[in-house]
Every structure is written in C-alpha cells, then in structure tokens.
C-alpha cells in the first residue's frame, strides 16, 4: 500500500496506488526523496502526524514525522529536532540521518510539507504502558535501572550542549527488551552563549509546559539544563506510585512535593534521590547527569526503610503476695457533697470605707462645733442635726457644764487613789 501525503487528496489510501510512483487521485509523488514509501498512518495531533514508511534502498521500516502547516514556531521546533537527533548517537535516542529532514511539495499545494525520517522504535510510551498494566507501580529495582538508562541518555544529550525540556512518560518509549528511548526532541534547546546571557540577564526563553512535570523556572520561561532533572524525578513519582504528580500537594512554603505518605515499598535512599532531582530551586538539584548516576550507585536496597521504633512493652509485674483474709467490712461509700454557694461580699472594703467616714465625721463635727459654739469636744449628734433650738442649746450647755465639773472630781479621785 502507498499512502498519499497530500492533505487535499480525495482518497489518500486508494489501494490502486500500490507500487505506483505518482498518486492516481491527485498526481502527487508517492515515493518521497526517491526512496521512502508511506505505508500507513500511526497517529497525530496539532500541526503534525506520524507515519510508518518503508525505505526502498534498505528495505527497513522507519517513522516519518510530517508538519502539515507552515507555522513559524512549529517549523522552528521541527527543524530543531532534526538538528539535535542528527548529532546524537545512542541506543536510547531515535537515530536520524544527516539527510533525514526534507520538504515535500504536494501537487497543487501552496505550502511545503516538512518531513523528518527517523528510526522506528518498537514498543509503547510509558504512559500507555502504565495504563496497560492498570497503573500498577513499578518496583524500585526497575526504577533504579531505568533511572540509570535515562541518566546515561541525558549525559549524552547534555554533553552536546542540549537539554530536552519536555521529559514525561509520554516522551519515553519502552522497547520489548526493556531499553528506554527518549523521544520528541522538538522542544530541545541548545546551550549557547546567547542562551546563558539571556538566563543570567533575567530574560525569558521559550516556555514549554507540561502540568505536573515542568519545573517552576521553566514555567517562568527560564529553563536550564537542570530542568530536565526535575521532570525526570516527577516522571518516576508517577512510575513508582501510579499517580501523577498533580495528585500530590506541595509545601506552600518550600514548594517541595509531599509524595512520601502511605505504605510505599520504596527505600529512603531512593526517595532522597528523587527529592534531590525535584528540588524547587535548580541550584539545589544535581548539576550534571553524572552526579545522578553516582547517587544511584550509592543506593543500597538491602537497607530497610527507616521507621520509628516501637515503644518497649512494659514487663508484667509479679503477682502480689497473698494477703490473709480478714473479716470483710461493708465499705463506706462517701458521696462528695456539692459545695455550697459562696458569695464573695467585699467586707474589707466596706470596713475601710466605714472607718474613713467615721473619722471624717468626728473631725467635721468637732471643727464645726468649735466654730459655732466655741466648745470642744462638741456633741456630734447636735452638730449633725443642726437644730437651732434654744432648748437643745441649753441642754447642750448644761451637759457641757456638768461634764466639766465631773471631770476634775474624777481626776482628784484618781490621784488620791494613787497615794
């Protein structure tokens, strides 16, 4: 079968196009670059699609990525992927030949179709692979092995001054033999002097965002090579727990992902390495892939995960010695009486106030009696009543006179008794 790439072809899958060089429906070329024949569509979305092709020169099957629309940014990313993959040679990176990128102009078309031929990777991406096993978490042994593979892939990518910028389960393929392959290098960025100057100067660079996997600095348009390590750690949170990173909360003060809760059979050393990869600040992450590989070498899975020691159980006390039986008495049951109602009356305050008023009243009556009548001591009762009656005044004077006679007699008697 020969598939026609012309977007306007009325029947791109016409069986009569088999072994033909030109489409019988629209007249477009079916043999691209004189060697590649498109056999079937694999998938697509957005501006592009992927197809399975056959290389007539080698007889091998490959993958063709095509860009259907002439969008400037999409074209730039497409060419970037072609450039990066043509320079990389690693089992974990799709192989692209130097002439793997080309453009194709369909019959009657107004815009060229951008094409990229690359190695066909058998298997499925980790997102689909996890769905196929009902999101069952992988073992920590498998996680360490895959981390080593991806660490070596990133070491190769970063050594050529590139970084991926979009690591996530959908962009990691798993071959049938277990080898992982990092795909979709369209978002890869080259670390040049211009890029470093932009980052150091606080300028934004192109932002690629995948919720849950993109680090904070990349969300703000300031991705750095260490951004790949953050996304790598978040990817393995999904693989080890079966839950996406967005299912876990973040510490509002530090930005750290709070994912360690639950009975997960993961060693603390591996947990520490993943938290190291996912440090919110790029300077607190590993600075190179080699540091990651060294951390993985130091993990000892034979060590049990630290847990809080259980408190020692109290020893049973020895039974008390037998007590001789005594005549049992009926125990008296004491019922606590309710406390009576207490009223805190301010007696002390009233006593002090009464004393002050009494002294003040005495002083006032004596002074007032002296000023009115010229007598001291004056009768306080008469002064307080303030009755200007002659009867009261005569009684008061007679009382004072009699009292003045009694006092000297009493003094004489007291002196006589002393002698």
């Amino acid at each position: 079968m020969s598939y026609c790439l012309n977007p306007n072809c009325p029947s791109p899958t016409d069986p009569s196009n088999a072994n033909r060089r030109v489409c019988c429906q629209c007249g477009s070329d079916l043999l691209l670059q004189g060697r590649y024949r498109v056999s079937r569509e694999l998938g697509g979305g957005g501006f592009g699609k992927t197809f399975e092709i056959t290389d007539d020169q080698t007889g091998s099957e490959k993958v063709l990525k095509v860009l259907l629309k002439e969008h400037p940014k999409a074209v730039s990313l497409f060419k970037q992927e072609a450039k990066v993959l043509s320079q990389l040679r690693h089992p974990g990176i799709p192989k692209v030949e130097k002439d793997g990128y080309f453009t194709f102009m369909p019959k009657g078309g107004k815009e060229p179709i951008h094409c990229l031929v690359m190695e066909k990777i058998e298997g499925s991406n980790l997102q689909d692979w996890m769905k196929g096993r009902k999101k069952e978490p992988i073992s920590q042994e498998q996680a360490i092995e895959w981390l080593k593979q991806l660490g070596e892939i990133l070491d190769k990518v970063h050594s050529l001054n590139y970084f991926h910028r979009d690591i996530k389960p959908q962009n990691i393929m798993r071959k049938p033999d277990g080898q992982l392959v990092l795909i979709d290098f369209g978002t890869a960025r080259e670390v040049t002097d211009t890029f470093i100057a932009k980052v150091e100067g606080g300028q934004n660079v192109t932002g690629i965002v995948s919720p849950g996997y993109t680090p904070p600095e990349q969300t703000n348009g300031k991705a750095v090579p260490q951004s790949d390590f953050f996304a790598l750690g978040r990817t393995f949170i999904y693989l080890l727990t079966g839950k996406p990173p967005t299912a876990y909360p973040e510490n509002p003060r530090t930005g750290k992902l709070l994912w360690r809760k639950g009975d997960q059979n993961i060693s603390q050393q591996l947990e520490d390495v993943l938290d190291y990869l996912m440090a919110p600040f790029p300077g607190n992450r590993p600075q190179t892939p080699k540091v990651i590989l060294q951390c993985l070498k130091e993990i000892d899975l034979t060590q049990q995960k630290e847990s809080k020691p259980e408190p020692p159980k109290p020893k049973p006390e020895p039974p008390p010695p037998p007590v001789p039986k005594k005549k049992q008495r009926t125990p008296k049951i004491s019922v606590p009486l309710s406390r009576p109602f207490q009223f805190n009356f301010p007696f002390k305050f009233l006593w002090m106030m009464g004393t002050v008023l009494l002294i003040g009243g005495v002083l006032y009556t004596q002074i007032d009696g002296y000023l009115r009548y010229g007598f001291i001591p004056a009768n306080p009762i008469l002064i307080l009543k303030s009755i200007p009656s002659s009867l009261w005044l005569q009684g008061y004077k007679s009382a004072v006179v009699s009292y003045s006679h009694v006092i000297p007699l009493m003094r004489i008697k007291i002196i006589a008794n002393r002698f």
Side-chain angles (χ1 to χ4, degrees):
M1 177 182 176
S2 294
Y3 189 99
C4 181
L5 284 183
N6 186 357
N8 300 318
C9 181
S11 181
T13 59
D14 190 345
S16 59
N17 281 334
N19 299 322
R20 293 176 61 95
R21 297 181 65 92
V22 179
C23 178
C24 62
Q25 296 287 337
C26 65
S28 299
D29 289 337
L30 295 176
L31 199 63
L32 307 178
Q33 298 291 95
R35 56 185 291 191
Y36 302 118
R37 185 177 296 275
V38 182
S39 55
R40 63 188 179 98
E41 183 178 346
L42 296 177
F47 294 143
K49 291 184 178 181
T50 56
F51 299 89
E52 183 180 271
I53 62 174
T54 301
D55 188 350
D56 285 355
Q57 291 185 2
T58 61
S60 60
E61 292 182 344
K62 296 182 179 180
V63 171
L64 174 69
K65 291 183 67 174
V66 299
L67 192 64
L68 301 177
K69 294 185 178 181
E70 191 75 11
H71 188 279
K73 185 59 183 177
V75 172
S76 174
L77 294 175
F78 197 82
K79 291 181 178 180
Q80 177 72 11
E81 182 175 18
K83 178 183 178 182
V84 173
L85 292 178
S86 64
Q87 298 178 14
L88 297 173
R89 291 292 181 267
H90 189 277
I93 300 173
K95 185 178 179 181
V96 173
E97 301 296 337
K98 297 293 184 182
D99 57 352
Y101 169 76
F102 58 91
T103 58
F104 165 71
M105 181 64 75
K107 187 75 172 181
K110 297 181 180 180
E111 296 180 350
I113 297 177
H114 298 266
C115 302
L116 177 62
V117 178
M118 63 178 63
E119 175 190 4
K120 181 182 179 181
I121 307 298
E122 299 290 345
S124 58
N125 64 56
L126 292 185
Q127 179 78 20
D128 295 338
W129 183 77
M130 285 289 287
K131 290 181 179 179
R133 50 187 275 142
K134 298 181 179 180
K135 296 184 179 181
E136 179 184 353
I138 65 175
S139 65
Q140 55 182 349
E141 291 80 7
Q142 182 70 77
I144 293 175
E145 174 60 28
W146 282 358
L147 273 170
K148 289 180 180 178
Q149 291 187 27
L150 292 170
E152 293 172 354
I153 294 172
L154 289 178
D155 186 39
K156 181 67 176 178
V157 174
H158 287 197
S159 66
L160 295 177
N161 294 328
Y162 288 102
F163 58 102
H164 191 278
R165 293 200 300 174
D166 198 20
I167 296 177
K168 55 186 177 182
Q170 297 94 318
N171 288 338
I172 302 174
M173 298 286 292
R174 178 186 178 273
K175 289 183 176 180
D177 60 359
Q179 172 68 44
L180 298 184
V181 179
L182 189 60
I183 63 172
D184 198 357
F185 280 79
T187 59
R189 176 73 192 228
E190 185 175 6
V191 183
T192 61
D193 293 338
T194 303
F195 167 79
I196 295 174
K198 283 185 177 181
V199 173
E200 291 180 349
Q203 299 183 35
N204 292 346
V205 294
T206 303
I208 307 296
V209 178
S210 295
Y213 299 96
T214 303
E217 71 277 3
Q218 186 170 329
T219 304
N220 296 328
K222 298 178 182 179
V224 292
Q226 291 75 28
S227 302
D228 284 348
F229 306 151
F230 182 96
L232 182 64
R234 289 292 183 94
T235 297
F236 276 86
I237 295 300
Y238 170 69
L239 297 175
L240 282 166
T241 65
K243 298 179 182 179
T246 52
Y248 296 97
E250 293 182 353
N251 187 314
R253 185 175 61 86
T254 64
K256 185 177 179 181
L257 190 70
L258 305 177
W259 67 280
R260 294 196 184 194
K261 296 181 180 179
D263 296 329
Q264 300 168 359
N265 189 23
I266 305 174
S267 70
Q268 185 172 352
Q269 288 181 314
L270 181 56
E271 290 178 338
D272 293 340
V273 171
L274 294 180
D275 281 339
Y276 185 25
L277 294 173
M278 299 184 297
F281 183 66
N284 294 333
R285 302 173 200 152
Q287 296 303 294
T288 64
K290 287 184 171 58
V291 176
I292 301 176
L293 296 174
Q294 181 59 38
C295 292
L296 295 174
K297 288 181 181 179
E298 296 174 359
I299 294 179
D300 184 6
L301 295 181
T302 60
Q303 294 183 3
Q304 297 294 329
K305 185 175 180 179
E306 294 183 3
S307 59
K308 295 182 180 180
E310 296 182 359
K313 296 181 179 180
K315 295 181 179 179
E317 297 180 359
V323 180
K325 293 184 178 180
K326 294 183 180 180
K327 186 178 180 179
Q328 295 183 353
R329 296 181 180 180
T330 304
K332 295 181 179 180
I333 302 175
S334 59
V335 180
L337 299 176
S338 59
R339 296 180 61 184
F341 176 78
Q342 294 182 355
F343 180 75
N344 295 325
F345 197 82
F347 292 102
K348 187 176 181 180
F349 174 78
L350 294 178
W351 178 83
M352 293 177 63
M353 289 298 297
T355 303
V356 172
L357 291 174
L358 179 61
I359 295 173
V362 171
L363 291 175
Y364 170 78
T365 55
Q366 298 306 311
I367 295 172
D368 187 74
Y370 179 78
L371 293 176
R372 286 187 181 186
Y373 311 110
F375 296 103
I376 265 188
N379 189 339
I381 297 176
L382 296 178
I383 299 302
L384 293 175
K385 286 184 176 180
S386 299
I387 300 176
S389 174
S390 59
L391 179 62
W392 284 101
L393 184 59
Q394 291 175 3
Y396 176 75
K397 289 183 178 180
S398 61
V400 172
V401 171
S402 61
Y403 182 70
S404 61
H405 289 291
V406 172
I407 290 176
L409 293 175
M410 291 179 66
R411 289 180 178 176
I412 293 171
K413 188 176 181 180
I414 292 171
I415 294 171
N417 291 333
R418 287 182 180 179
F419 291 97

